[in-house]
Structures are given as C-alpha cells and as structure tokens.
Amino acid sequence: MLTTAPRGTRDILPEEAAKWQYVEEVIRDCCRLYGYGEIRPPLFEHTELFQRSVGEATDIVEKEMYTFIDRGGRSITLRPEATASTVRAYLEHNLHAGPQPVKLYYMGPMFRYDRPQAGRYRQFSQFGVEAIGAQDPSVDAEVITLVLDLCTRLGLKDLVVELNSIGCPKCRQEYRQALLEYLSEHKNKLCKTCLSRIERNPLRVLDCKEEGCRALTAAAPQMLEYLCSECAEHFKTLQQCLHAVGAKYELNPALVRGLDYYTKTVFEVTWSGLGAQTAICGGGRYDGLVQECGGPPTPGVGFAMGLDRLLIALEQMGISIPTVNKPTVYVAALTNADNKDAFALLTILRRAGIAADKDYRQASLRAQLKAANRSGAKWTVIVGGEEKKRGAVVIRDMETGEQTEVPQDQLVSILKSS
Ligand code: ATP
Ligand code: MG
C-alpha cells in the first residue's frame, strides 16, 4: 500500500509530463487567441455548490463525489468539475458588473469516484472554458470552434462533434412529459438507476450507458421536435455560424449530457479510437446556472475537455510531440579533483540559459562520457588537465567525437552560436 498510488490515480513521470506541458502550451495559446483569461479556482468547494449546480439526480452528485467533513464541521467536496466554481467566482467577484461576456478558462485536476479503467481515473485533468453573460449563438459557435482549432493544431484527426439542443425549461417541460410517458410504457426495460430517476429527471435516461436503456432511447421522442421558436432560432443560428467557419458536426438527437444545468446547445467531441471512453470533450449552454447559484439571470456557455483522454488519443494516433528533456551540454571532470570546477562551469552554463547536466558519481572520464551519451547531450565539455591551467576547456561533439580546445571565457558564446 505504501508503494502504490491510490486506485484511480497515477504518477505522471518527466517523459510523459513533457507531453502534457506541450499540450498545455498549445491550449494556453489557443485561449489567448480566442480572448479567454485563466481562472484558478480552489480544488475544493462547499458540497452544496455542486449539489445545486451539477444537480441532485446526476451520476456525479449521486455516486461520484469525494465528500468529507473538515475539522471545522463543514461539508467539503473535491471538485468533480469546474464550471460550478467558475460561476461561483463570477458572482463572488462581481464579474457580472463589468463588460459581458466574461471569458475564462481553467486547467487542472478533477476528482470523481469513477470505476477506473483505460481513460477513466479518479483524479483526472480537464481543460475547460466558460463564456458567461452572452445569449448570442455565435458564442456557442466560438467555443466549439476553439475546440476544433485546438484539435487541429495538435494534429488530431477523425474527431466527431456531436450537436444537439435540449431547449429551455419552457419547451423542455413539454418534451419531458412526452418522454416520461414513453419511458413509463417501457419501464421493464430500464436499468435500476434509471427506474429510480425517471420521475425526477427522465432526460437522464437518454444519457445512461446501460445497453437496455440505450436501445430504448433510440426510439424515444426527440427534443428537437419540441423546441420553442426561440430555442429553434438559436439552434439554427448556431449551425449557420458553424457552417460559416467550415466546422463539421453531426446532429445527435439523443445527446443530453450528464449535468442538470444545460439549456439549448449541448455538444460532445468524440473519437471512436478511445474504445469505451469515446468522449474527449463535452459542453453546452447553461442559461439557468448563474441564477441557480444565487446570482441574477445570466446566460453562459462552455465545455470541459478530458486531457488524459486527449493524450491517449494523441498517442494512439501516433502523433509525435516535441519534447525537450535533454541537456544541451554535459560537463565532465577529468579527475575527481576537477569536480568542483566542473560544478562551477555547469552553473555558469545554466545561468547563461544553456541546459546542462553532469555526472554525480565521481566516476572515471570514460564512465562520464558514457553517461553523457545516454543523456542525449549534443556536447560534452571536459574540465581539467593542462587545458584548465591555460584557462581553457575541451568541447567534444558527441555525434562525431571531434574535440576542440576553447578558452573557458568564450565557451558560452561559442555554444550559443553553434
Ligand atoms: P463519461 O460519460 O465518460 O463519464 P462525463 O459525461 O462524466 O464523461 P463530463 O462531465 O462531460 O464527462 O467531463 C468532460 C470530459 O472530462 C469528458 O468528456 C472526459 O474526456 C473527461 N472525463 C470525465 N470523467 C473522467 C474520468 N473519470 N477520467 C478521465 N477523464 C474523464
Ligand atoms: Mg462520468
């Protein structure tokens, strides 16, 4: 137990972390281009925030939250998602008083008591954006386009954007009734969880992953046929915006998303290569959420992308990621007595902005050169001997084995110019 991480968690070691850093950089750059500023909310919140915003009859609130009582007797939950926190922060800092929409993005760990398997963990990372305070369907189009541009820049291919509208509380009421009637007629085919949920939230059944429920929902009434004129108009304009930028999508009338707060637009980005866990990203519009959290009526739209699954997809598509874990220069000491000078030179190089490393075993020159080779360094600089007395060092080109003597005070500029 002491030597294994808790179930559903894992360590990301340097080689893999370098890939994460690359992806995170591309994400940050996309957000900059699209005008989203970073928010870093806390990793835990009052439990009530998630109960209120994510919704009582959801998988997350019913069975996936890490909730505990802290030493002050408060119920605290490790965040299972970050939209709730973003909306809470929007209200706490009066962001509704400034220009709208407020466009924010976040990146970081989320916690859910999920059943661990490939692409599904108990601690995983999400990148998400939220545009709070605008009704305009072009904002919905903007967040979808952001995802697509990000995926294009990362080289991801064959992703599918699935799109649907689940209407507003007004038109959904009528649909809910029709769906409830349909489901009630087929109660015997529902799974246990859905059976207990249909009265509270029949739409959840559309999102169930059980085989029987899936078969049932395929023939269920569809929300798109129940949209009110405002929701239908919004959905039409969104699609026109997507056409205008050449964004491809597929309509999926069964798509509802697992959180209670969505209204109108819902979408998911999937990749079939991920096996059972096909969803890389999910999002939509949540026009009732800010009010639900105690604020003024305020529209909003956003998405959350699972970075663990994104990285799995990159790996499986064979997309190579530029990583830079190698030192440029390896510093070797000719003898043990030169070790101190080797360390000093190493530090000079690092302070001059050159990635450098050395051997720490007080080993022979031969062993140090072997280690230099293994490190992938382009050059080895050897400190000691007659050269040292002359204020010089030897540079060895690790590819050709060619060695040249250079004055130590010119080393940095020589390395930088070659
Ligand atoms: P799923 O249906 O796969 O459980 P979800 O609907 O619960 O997904 P969202 O709440 O929409 O997921 O979260 C957005 C994204 O976060 C998902 O599309 C997925 O890529 C990622 N994600 C969600 N749960 C996990 C998890 N346990 N491990 C890894 N990634 C996850
Ligand atoms: Mg889930």
Side-chain angles (χ1 to χ4, degrees), residues 155-197:
L156 290 163
K157 286 178 282 288
D158 306 324
L159 298 177
V160 178
V161 178
E162 296 179 26
L163 188 66
N164 193 21
S165 173
I166 56 169
C168 61
K170 228 171 36 201
C171 50
R172 204 181 313 158
Q173 199 50 38
E174 205 183 317
Y175 172 66
R176 195 189 135 105
Q177 202 48 45
L179 183 64
L180 189 59
E181 275 164 30
Y182 169 83
L183 293 175
S184 304
E185 282 165 27
H186 300 88
K187 261 188 176 158
N188 55 335
K189 293 188 195 117
L190 288 172
C191 75
K192 249 185 27 221
T193 321
C194 285
L195 203 56
S196 75
R197 279 176 179 168

Side-chain angles (χ1 to χ4, degrees), residues 59-60 64 80-81 112 114-115 117 119-126 207 209 257-259 262 268-269 274 276-283 303-310:
D59 274 356
I60 292 182
E64 294 174 358
E81 54 96 85
R112 294 184 193 179
D114 246 318
R115 182 138 43 95
Q117 50 196 292
R120 191 178 290 285
Y121 312 96
R122 290 185 174 166
Q123 177 179 328
F124 60 98
S125 280
Q126 281 184 344
D207 199 35
K209 292 183 181 70
R257 309 271 313 120
L259 311 154
Y262 287 108
E268 239 168 46
V269 179
L274 282 172
Q277 272 57 249
T278 55
I280 290 185
C281 168
F303 67 76
M305 176 179 254
L307 294 184
D308 307 77
R309 289 186 200 170
L310 182 81

Side-chain angles (χ1 to χ4, degrees), residues 50-66:
F50 301 114
Q51 288 169 336
R52 263 301 188 84
S53 61
V54 176
E56 292 282 2
T58 57
D59 274 356
I60 292 182
V61 171
E62 279 189 339
K63 27 183 208 198
E64 294 174 358
M65 294 206 300
Y66 277 92

Side-chain angles (χ1 to χ4, degrees), residues 27 31 105-108 125-129 146 150 303-305 307:
I27 287 174
C31 288
Y105 80 93
Y106 59 82
M107 211 162 13
S125 280
Q126 281 184 344
F127 150 60
V129 312
L146 196 164
L150 171 64
F303 67 76
M305 176 179 254
L307 294 184

Side-chain angles (χ1 to χ4, degrees), residues 25-39:
E25 261 172 47
V26 178
I27 287 174
R28 288 187 195 286
D29 196 53
C30 279
C31 288
R32 181 183 64 79
L33 293 173
Y34 275 78
Y36 287 73
E38 187 184 6
I39 177 168

Side-chain angles (χ1 to χ4, degrees), residues 144-304:
I144 294 173
T145 310
L146 196 164
V147 176
L148 287 171
D149 283 3
L150 171 64
C151 292
T152 305
R153 278 184 61 175
L154 290 171
L156 290 163
K157 286 178 282 288
D158 306 324
L159 298 177
V160 178
V161 178
E162 296 179 26
L163 188 66
N164 193 21
S165 173
I166 56 169
C168 61
K170 228 171 36 201
C171 50
R172 204 181 313 158
Q173 199 50 38
E174 205 183 317
Y175 172 66
R176 195 189 135 105
Q177 202 48 45
L179 183 64
L180 189 59
E181 275 164 30
Y182 169 83
L183 293 175
S184 304
E185 282 165 27
H186 300 88
K187 261 188 176 158
N188 55 335
K189 293 188 195 117
L190 288 172
C191 75
K192 249 185 27 221
T193 321
C194 285
L195 203 56
S196 75
R197 279 176 179 168
I198 55 169
E199 296 292 335
R200 283 182 296 162
N201 193 346
L203 264 75
R204 271 293 73 76
V205 179
L206 300 180
D207 199 35
C208 182
K209 292 183 181 70
E210 296 289 330
E211 193 96 8
C213 299
R214 281 190 164 219
L216 204 54
T217 54
Q222 298 188 351
M223 183 65 223
L224 288 181
E225 282 151 29
Y226 288 79
L227 293 181
C228 64
S229 58
E230 188 202 318
C231 288
E233 185 62 30
H234 192 276
F235 196 46
K236 194 173 119 201
T237 312
L238 161 61
Q239 294 184 68
Q240 286 167 345
C241 289
L242 291 173
H243 282 297
V245 295
K248 293 202 174 61
Y249 60 88
E250 289 175 8
L251 292 182
N252 175 359
L255 184 66
V256 291
R257 309 271 313 120
L259 311 154
D260 270 359
Y261 51 58
Y262 287 108
T263 52
K264 294 194 171 81
T265 315
V266 288
F267 68 95
E268 239 168 46
V269 179
T270 57
W271 184 55
S272 54
L274 282 172
Q277 272 57 249
T278 55
I280 290 185
C281 168
R285 179 163 278 284
Y286 45 82
D287 290 348
L289 181 59
V290 177
Q291 199 172 15
E292 186 67 35
C293 293
T298 312
V301 60
F303 67 76

Side-chain angles (χ1 to χ4, degrees), residues 20 41 82 114 143 288 294:
W20 280 79
D114 246 318
V143 301

